[in-house]
Amino acid sequence: MKNKLYSQEILEEVYQLIIKEGDQGEVAQYIPELSRVNPDKFGAHLLTTQGESFGVGDCQTKFSIQSISKVFSLSLAYQLIGDKIWERVGVEPSGNPFNSLLQLEADEGIPRNPLINAGAMVICDILISNLKEPATDFINFIREISANKAINYSESVARSEKSVGYRNIALCNFIKSFGNIENDANEVLDFYFHMCSIEMSCEELTKAFMFLAHVEFRTKENNRVLNRHKSKRINAIMQTCGFYDESGEFSFKVGLPGKSGVGGGILAVHPDNYCLAVWSPKLNEKGNSYRGMKFLEQFTTVTESSIF
Ligand code: GLU
C-alpha cells in the first residue's frame, strides 16, 4: 500500500502537533468515578500486523475503556451463536446518541446496532444465556485474545455507574417489555455495567484488537477468534456505528473502523496493517475524545493510511 512507514517518529510528530493545538471539551460527568480522572492524560499506541510496536505519552496507563468493550462482547457473542445475532439486533447506524430510547418504540425493541447501549444490552443478554459464568468467561476471553492476565473489571466504576444508571436501567427494561431480553433485567444490567468498567491501557488495547487487524491471528492456544468473514463484519459495524452520532464524521475524517468510549479512549483498526489506540479524557459534545479524534485524523493523513 502507498503509505509512509509507520514509526516512532511519526507517532511523536502527530502527538506533539495535537498537544500544540490544545485540548477542548469535558471529562464525562455523568459517571461520578469517571469525572475524577485527570483530564490532561494523553497517550497513544500503535501495533502493526508485522509486530512493530510504538507508544507515546500515557500509553501504558490503564483507563476505563467503557464502550470500547462492546466490540469484545459482540465478537464473543458472534463466535458463540453466529448469524442468529442479527435476529435480535440490527446493523444500521442509529444517528442518535449512544443512550437514546427514541427509536426503540418504533423498532419494537430491536436496537439499531450492537454498539449503542441498547444493542450492547441485548448482546449481554445473549452472553448470559450462552456462557456458564458470564462475567468470568467474558474477562477470560479478553485475557486470552490479548495474552494478558492483568485485565480486570473495576468494581468501583461499575458500582458508580450503577448508582446513577437511570437511563440504562430504563433502556434494559424497555427492551425487555418487547421480549428482546430473556434474562432478568438486573442481571443483564449488572453484567453491562461490569463490561463497561474494564480497564486497559492503549498498549493493551492494540494487542487485544489484533484479531480484527490480522487475518492470520491466533491466540497462544492456537485458536482463531473469528474467521475472516466474521471479522470483516465486525470491522464494518465499527466503521458505520462506532462513534455514536459522529460515526459519519469519523469515517469522513479518519477513514478507519473504530470504537470510542466515554472514558476518552478510541481504538481504530486498519485491516491487514495496524491497530492504533488513543486516550485523552476530555470529550467533545458527541461524547468522543476531542484530542483522540484529532490525533487519528492527523495520523491517517500523514501516513496516507485511511482505508479509502
Ligand atoms: N457505560 C457507559 C454508558 O452506558 C458507556 C457509554 C460509552 O462509552 O459510550 O453510559
Side-chain angles (χ1 to χ4, degrees):
M1 95 183 284
K2 177 174 76 82
N3 59 22
K4 290 192 197 173
L5 278 184
Y6 309 116
S7 65
Q8 183 67 32
E9 289 69 41
I10 287 191
L11 209 63
E12 260 157 29
E13 185 191 303
V14 174
Y15 185 71
Q16 291 307 334
L17 187 97
I18 302 303
I19 286 182
K20 224 185 275 164
E21 283 183 359
D23 204 0
Q24 285 181 33
E26 254 193 69
V27 173
Q29 296 297 323
Y30 73 101
I31 302 176
E33 276 295 294
L34 292 189
S35 69
R36 289 192 266 277
V37 170
N38 178 348
D40 299 324
K41 292 283 177 187
F42 186 23
H45 191 267
L46 174 70
L47 180 63
T48 72
T49 50
Q50 310 292 315
E52 301 152 298
S53 171
F54 310 110
V56 285
D58 300 301
C59 63
Q60 291 180 334
T61 308
K62 286 181 189 275
F63 61 91
S64 191
I65 69 168
Q66 291 294 318
S67 281
I68 298 175
S69 68
K70 291 173 181 165
V71 182
F72 295 134
S73 49
L74 172 63
S75 300
L76 179 56
Y78 204 14
Q79 187 194 75
L80 290 169
I81 71 161
D83 289 327
K84 279 202 220 116
I85 283 191
W86 316 125
E87 292 165 13
R88 308 240 339 241
V89 62
V91 293
E92 290 297 336
S94 71
N96 270 309
F98 62 97
N99 54 7
S100 174
L101 285 127
L102 213 60
Q103 291 159 337
L104 276 173
E105 173 98 55
D107 296 346
E108 298 185 351
I110 306 287
R112 290 280 163 108
N113 69 68
L115 300 184
I116 50 174
N117 290 11
M121 285 176 198
V122 170
I123 299 295
C124 284
D125 186 55
I126 292 172
L127 290 179
I128 291 172
S129 299
N130 286 277
L131 294 172
K132 275 201 190 103
E133 289 182 66
T136 310
D137 296 347
F138 180 59
I139 203 78
N140 282 341
F141 169 74
I142 303 176
R143 289 174 181 162
E144 189 194 337
I145 63 176
S146 46
N148 181 348
K149 293 203 171 89
I151 296 170
N152 263 312
Y153 300 110
S154 160
E155 286 302 328
S156 57
V157 171
R159 220 179 306 120
S160 176
E161 183 168 3
K162 195 174 184 178
S163 71
V164 291
Y166 313 112
R167 225 167 217 280
N168 283 326
I169 293 165
L171 270 171
C172 192
N173 282 290
F174 197 39
I175 303 168
K176 189 160 174 79
S177 76
F178 289 101
N180 198 16
I181 293 280
E182 290 171 356
N183 297 284
D184 177 63
N186 284 328
E187 194 184 349
V188 175
L189 283 161
D190 196 59
F191 184 36
Y192 173 82
F193 292 135
H194 275 86
M195 180 191 84
C196 291
S197 80
I198 291 172
E199 296 185 327
M200 292 170 76
S201 67
C202 288
E203 185 171 356
E204 288 172 331
L205 276 172
T206 57
K207 285 195 190 132
F209 272 80
M210 210 15 94
F211 74 99
L212 290 177
H214 196 343
V215 70
E216 291 308 327
F217 179 87
R218 295 273 193 290
T219 64
K220 264 199 177 148
E221 295 73 19
N222 205 29
N223 296 325
R224 197 159 195 161
V225 184
L226 294 176
N227 62 27
R228 192 179 183 106
H229 164 85
K230 288 198 167 95
S231 53
K232 175 183 77 179
R233 301 216 183 285
I234 304 280
N235 279 324
I237 292 173
M238 286 203 289
Q239 181 76 43
T240 50
C241 310
F243 294 82
Y244 322 123
D245 43 342
E246 204 173 18
S247 298
E249 185 92 0
F250 187 80
S251 200
F252 186 71
K253 289 191 170 155
V254 178
L256 295 176
K259 181 73 200 90
S260 63
V262 294
I266 301 181
L267 183 285
V269 175
H270 192 309
D272 298 328
N273 278 277
Y274 61 75
C275 289
L276 175 55
V278 192
W279 173 47
S280 173
K282 284 195 191 171
L283 310 178
N284 66 18
E285 63 289 349
K286 303 277 185 178
N288 295 310
S289 167
Y290 177 83
R291 287 195 296 201
M293 300 287 277
K294 297 265 174 217
F295 183 98
L296 284 155
E297 181 182 359
Q298 184 64 19
F299 182 84
T300 55
T301 303
V302 297
T303 56
E304 297 178 34
S305 66
S306 142
I307 62 166
F308 300 109

